[in-house]
Structure formats: structure tokens, C-alpha cells
Amino acid sequence: MMRQLLFTLLLLTISLPAFAALQASVDRTQLIEGQPLELTLESTLAKRDDAPDLTPLEQHFRIESSRKLNLVSTINGRSLPVTRWIVRLMPLRTGFVVIPPLQLADERSEPVTLRVLSAEQARDVSPSDIAPIFIDSELDTRTPYVQAQVLLTLRIYHSVSLYDDSALSGLEIPDARVEALGAPKTYEQEINGVVHGVIEVRYAIYPQHSGTLDIPSQLFSATAVPPRASEGQPGTHNARFIQLRSPSQQLTVKPIPDTYPAGVPWLPARQVRLSQNWQPDPSTELTRGEPLTRTLSIQADGLTATQLPELNTLTNDQDELRQYSDQPQLENQLSSNGILGLRQESSAVVARHAGRFTVPAIRVQWWNTTTDQLEVSELDAVTLTVRGNSSFNDSSAPYPSQPAGELPLLWPWQLATALLLAALGWALLQLRTARRALIALDELGEDTVNLEADQAGNPLADLQTACRHNQPAEARKALEHWAKQQESDLIALSHAHPILADALDDLNGCLFGQTEHAWRGKPLWRAVRKVTQARQREAEALGENAIEPLYPDV
């Protein structure tokens, strides 16, 4: 008998954790009739196809929706898979209502007691019966279009004072872009005669795909300030650490409507406005080549700046008008109504010819999320009137006729310009003449007399060849051979002719390593020619009957 009792107690001990493994919690335990309630069931032992039995709820509640989430939770440093079911309930009666235990395979939840107040009871309820802290969640729409803005507002009500350590977990949605609309806003609101502090947080959510989108709950944590003890009563209550979860939400995201034009950027917004500004005024007559500054702006209520399209309609392929654009300016203005996206484009427009030109109109098609229909915002076309530049001759403007007998005045700057041009021309002519003279001096000209280069051993022919090819050693040999033919030697010839002495010094310096520059044979050849011509003139002056040959045979 004793063994059976111990065995029964052991079975109860083992089975109790299993029945308590399914955790049940609600977002509020006290509510007013007509308000929905969110029940959260959580299990770490559920299998893929398991689902809780919600039939017992139908006695006192209407089940409005139910969805399943698969999460990962960290418990005591270990990561465990968690399956969560979120059930949205509407109470069918007032008074105390019990959420009965729910079954999931071998798991069972604990019952949860609620109090549903009627409208009359809500007015007469004692302040002590109202929950000191609760969270309300609100969406401006549950059926948005893809990439359209959804406003989520969380309001944390507290009738007790809180320390400054209150915190709200961040909102992250995998298939959506989330933008916080500024810092949390705080104010006070009276509920049933009780003043509550309110912490309001707003988000702009942009779903990136159509279909069902879950907005997870957020965890709010804070420490409540303990009330002061009454006079005459010592001590105070201990501070309480409080954690609450906001209600989770679900969106049904609609795709782009079939009636939306194909190939047009998708712009779901509450309002789209276009504007443009010109500097100077395009209605005045403009001058060819004068730049105009054109500023285009688009504002979209409910879209970010990165979602807005480019507005420029001019391209550089146009021959009449050229456009030079700056980088666009993007800005997001945050408010309690969401995001106002701004895009501003500035460019310089230049007319290359005189005439009348039309800047095309700008049309932006967008989807009005308020009226659920296609709309068009438009900027009218602009006509530019451009005249020719007066500082240049324009074929479209005839020359003014000059009265007979009147001569145009010659202004000083015109006369100075003419004198400068004349001086420049004279300087260029002198420079060209000097350049020709230098080229003539630098050339290694041919002798006026036949060198008879085919005669073997002709010293001047060998000297000329050595000088042409800048060969100092060969030039030295040929020079000595030529000097012997003159019935003299190099020393005597160099004393008699200084030009030959300078050329000889340059040749010797190159041969014996006294100079670093490469030897050039043209100066030596000119010196030898001058010496030969001088000796011929001397022979003619002496009246000789026959002139000694310039290039005697050897």
C-alpha cells in the first residue's frame, strides 16, 4: 500500500511540469467591454505540426484571429526554440471571465482570470482597481499597399511614478523598413478620474513585400517609484520592477494595383506636390549663353526621400538647350503624421542659339492611399525667349546702316591694339630672320669647289666626312694631312688664323678628355674653309699667274 502511494506521488511530480510547460499570458487583465484582448501561448516543447486546442475559449470569447511565430529564446545561457501562438479575443460578456486551461499535446496552461467592465462600471470603478501600467497599440491601417507607410503608435499608460530607467525594446521587422518618428513623447491623460502619465512612441513601417506581415510585440521595462508612507507610519514600500509586452499586430499587405501604369515608379502616398523656381525669371527675354538656374522640388507625404523619382526632363542630346545638373538634395522631415520626403534638383540651363525654346512639362503619376486611386501631379511647360549676344555678330540681326559722310570714331583702345599687333608682327619677322641665319651658320655646307672625293687620299674630303659624322680622331688625322699640303704645320696655321686655333683647341680638348661634352665637327669644318678662302685671296692679291689648286692631289 505504501509503495502504491509513493508511486502515485512520483507520477504527479513528473506530470506537473508537463502540464505547466504551456505558458499563457495576456496583455491586460482588466478591460472595458468592446475592447479586444490578446492571449499569448508559448511552448518550448511543441513540434512542427502541433497546435493548441482553442475550443474552450468559444464559451466566453469570440476568436478574431490567431497566428503562429517560431522564435529562439535564451534561457540560462542556452538557446532554445520557442513556439508562440498569439490569439486575439473579444469578450462576450462583462464581469469576471476565466480563460480556461488550454491543451497542447501533453502540455496544459494555467487558467487566467480577467475582469471585463461595463461602461457604467468603468465610470464608477475605484482608482485602485485600475491597472497601474498598461500598453495600448494602434495602427492607422491594417491593409496597406506594398512600400506604403503604416503608422504604429504605442502608448504606455502609468498611474504610478516611474524611475528614469524605463526602456522599450527596439522594433525590428525582417520584411519591412522601420523608421522611428523622433524621440518618445510624454504627456498626461485623465482616465476615469485618474491622471495617467503617457509615454507615446511612433513608428513608420514600410512593408517591402505583399502578403501577411507580423509586427512583433515590444517589451517595456521600468521601475515603479514606491509610495511614501503615511504620516505617523514608518518605512516605505519596496520599489517594483515591472515588465509588460505590447500587443502584437498583423498586416495584410496589398500588391501594386493592376490599374497602375507599367514602367512608372510606384509611389503610394497621401499627397504629392511639385514645384519649380527659375532664376532669372524665364518670362523675360534672355541672352544667348546666359545660364538660368532651375530648381525642381517634389514633396511626398508618406514616402521617404529615397523613394522619390528623378524630375529632370532635359538631356544633353538636345542641341538647343544644354543642362548641367548638381547632385540632388534629399531630406526626410519627421512628424507625428509620419515622414515627409523631399527631393530637390538644381541645374543650370543654357541656350546655345537665339530663338524660342520650350522646356517640356513634368508629369508624376502616383497612387493616393487615402482615396485609393491613381492621380497625376504636373508642372506646366515653360517657354524661353533667347536673343543673340550683342558682343558678337549675329546673323539674325542686320548691321545698322552708317550715315553718309560720317566716319566712326577711332577709340584709343582700338589704336593701341593696332600698334601692338604691328609690333608683334615686326618682332615675329625679326625672329624668323634670325632663326634662318642661325640655321645657315649651323649647317655643314658643301664646298663651292668640287671635292673630288673619289681621288684616293684627298685630305679635305676625309676631313669633311669626319666632321659630318662627328669623329674627332679621324678629323685630327685628316687635319694634319691637310696642313702638310699647305707647306706649313697646324701650329703656324693656328697662329695665323684665330678661328682655326679655337676649333683646334676644342678638338684637342675632346680627344684628351679635357671636356665632357660631345665633339661637333661643324665649327672645325667652317674654320678650315675660312682659312682656305683667306689663303686663296692672299694668293690673288700677290698677283700670281696661277692659283694653286684648292685640293691638290696627294
Side-chain angles (χ1 to χ4, degrees), residues 35-83:
Q35 289 183 340
L37 173 74
E38 194 167 270
L39 169 66
T40 301
L41 300 172
E42 193 170 287
S43 172
T44 59
L45 304 176
K47 299 179 182 179
R48 180 184 298 272
D49 298 329
D50 287 347
D53 182 13
L54 303 180
T55 306
L57 296 173
E58 297 177 355
Q59 181 179 0
H60 300 301
F61 300 92
R62 183 175 70 247
I63 301 175
E64 293 190 342
S65 64
S66 175
R67 61 186 184 276
K68 177 182 177 181
L69 299 176
N70 293 317
L71 308 172
V72 176
S73 178
T74 302
I75 301 176
N76 297 327
R78 297 176 56 192
S79 296
L80 297 176
V82 176
T83 305

Side-chain angles (χ1 to χ4, degrees), residues 291-402:
L292 290 87
T293 302
R294 183 193 193 192
T295 303
L296 297 172
S297 299
I298 178 172
Q299 300 180 0
D301 190 359
L303 292 177
T304 62
T306 56
Q307 293 176 273
L308 302 180
E310 184 179 356
L311 297 178
N312 282 331
T313 56
L314 295 177
T315 62
N316 287 332
D317 297 336
Q318 296 176 337
D319 185 58
E320 297 83 3
L321 297 176
R322 287 296 178 94
Q323 177 174 271
Y324 305 93
S325 302
D326 295 333
Q327 290 292 330
Q329 302 296 320
L330 305 180
E331 181 184 358
N332 290 327
Q333 294 183 358
L334 307 181
S335 68
S336 58
N337 295 324
I339 297 179
L340 178 67
L342 305 176
R343 180 186 176 98
Q344 190 175 82
E345 300 175 3
S346 182
S347 59
V349 179
V350 180
R352 303 181 63 190
H353 308 288
R356 291 175 62 86
F357 308 102
T358 300
V359 179
I362 297 178
R363 299 178 72 253
V364 174
Q365 301 183 71
W366 57 283
W367 192 264
N368 192 324
T369 56
T370 304
T371 61
D372 202 22
Q373 63 182 7
L374 179 68
E375 294 197 18
V376 178
S377 297
E378 187 170 0
L379 290 176
D380 296 334
V382 176
T383 301
L384 305 179
T385 302
V386 182
R387 68 171 183 270
N389 195 325
S390 59
S391 61
F392 297 95
N393 293 333
D394 195 342
S395 59
S396 61
Y399 289 103
S401 59
Q402 184 73 27

Side-chain angles (χ1 to χ4, degrees), residues 118-165:
S118 64
E120 293 78 10
Q121 289 175 329
R123 288 193 296 266
D124 300 333
V125 70
S126 173
S128 60
D129 294 334
I130 300 178
I133 302 178
F134 61 92
I135 303 178
D136 185 28
S137 178
E138 179 184 348
L139 291 170
D140 65 338
T141 179
R142 291 185 178 275
T143 57
Y145 282 101
V146 62
Q147 297 180 0
Q149 177 181 266
V150 178
L151 292 180
L152 170 65
T153 305
L154 292 181
R155 296 184 183 92
I156 303 163
Y157 296 88
H158 58 95
S159 59
V160 295
S161 299
L162 302 177
Y163 284 110
D164 294 336
D165 62 347

Side-chain angles (χ1 to χ4, degrees), residues 9 22 45 86 93 122 125 141 171 197 246 269 274 289 303 335 345 420 431 441 447 450 472 499 548 553:
L9 292 175
L22 182 63
L45 304 176
I86 300 174
R93 65 180 184 86
V125 70
T141 179
L171 180 60
S246 65
L274 299 178
L303 292 177
S335 68
E345 300 175 3
L420 287 175
L431 182 61
L441 289 176
D447 286 324
N450 185 13
I499 188 174
E548 186 176 352
D553 297 335

Side-chain angles (χ1 to χ4, degrees), residues 198-479:
V198 182
I199 304 173
E200 183 176 289
V201 182
R202 296 175 71 87
Y203 299 94
I205 302 174
Y206 294 88
Q208 299 301 303
H209 305 285
S210 59
T212 301
L213 179 68
D214 290 317
I215 301 176
S217 61
Q218 292 179 261
L219 180 65
F220 176 76
S221 59
T223 304
V225 177
R228 295 181 179 178
S230 302
E231 280 190 28
Q233 295 182 1
T236 60
H237 297 284
N238 293 328
R240 286 192 305 128
F241 182 71
I242 301 172
Q243 283 188 323
L244 294 92
R245 279 197 173 273
S246 65
S248 59
Q249 304 280 1
Q250 188 176 63
L251 302 177
T252 302
V253 183
K254 297 182 290 186
I256 299 175
D258 296 335
T259 56
Y260 197 80
V264 176
W266 169 238
L267 299 176
R270 289 191 295 267
Q271 181 69 2
V272 173
R273 293 176 292 273
L274 299 178
S275 63
Q276 67 177 335
N277 180 51
W278 292 84
Q279 290 292 338
D281 190 348
S283 61
T284 61
E285 190 176 34
L286 307 171
T287 304
R288 175 168 61 91
E290 177 186 1
L292 290 87
T293 302
R294 183 193 193 192
T295 303
L296 297 172
S297 299
I298 178 172
Q299 300 180 0
D301 190 359
L303 292 177
T304 62
T306 56
Q307 293 176 273
L308 302 180
E310 184 179 356
L311 297 178
N312 282 331
T313 56
L314 295 177
T315 62
N316 287 332
D317 297 336
Q318 296 176 337
D319 185 58
E320 297 83 3
L321 297 176
R322 287 296 178 94
Q323 177 174 271
Y324 305 93
S325 302
D326 295 333
Q327 290 292 330
Q329 302 296 320
L330 305 180
E331 181 184 358
N332 290 327
Q333 294 183 358
L334 307 181
S335 68
S336 58
N337 295 324
I339 297 179
L340 178 67
L342 305 176
R343 180 186 176 98
Q344 190 175 82
E345 300 175 3
S346 182
S347 59
V349 179
V350 180
R352 303 181 63 190
H353 308 288
R356 291 175 62 86
F357 308 102
T358 300
V359 179
I362 297 178
R363 299 178 72 253
V364 174
Q365 301 183 71
W366 57 283
W367 192 264
N368 192 324
T369 56
T370 304
T371 61
D372 202 22
Q373 63 182 7
L374 179 68
E375 294 197 18
V376 178
S377 297
E378 187 170 0
L379 290 176
D380 296 334
V382 176
T383 301
L384 305 179
T385 302
V386 182
R387 68 171 183 270
N389 195 325
S390 59
S391 61
F392 297 95
N393 293 333
D394 195 342
S395 59
S396 61
Y399 289 103
S401 59
Q402 184 73 27
E406 293 187 10
L407 295 177
L409 294 177
L410 187 64
W411 296 100
W413 70 268
Q414 293 174 315
L415 181 60
T417 302
L419 292 176
L420 287 175
L421 289 175
L424 181 62
W426 180 82
L428 291 175
L429 180 61
Q430 294 299 320
L431 182 61
R432 183 179 180 184
T433 303
R435 184 172 180 274
R436 286 182 176 180
L438 289 175
I439 293 175
L441 289 176
D442 198 47
E443 287 180 351
L444 186 59
E446 297 287 346
D447 286 324
T448 55
V449 182
N450 185 13
L451 291 177
E452 297 180 357
D454 56 343
Q455 296 181 3
N458 190 335
L460 283 181
D462 295 339
L463 180 61
Q464 185 184 34
T465 301
C467 290
R468 282 185 182 278
H469 295 88
N470 299 319
Q471 299 172 338
E474 301 298 330
R476 174 74 184 193
K477 294 179 182 179
L479 187 63

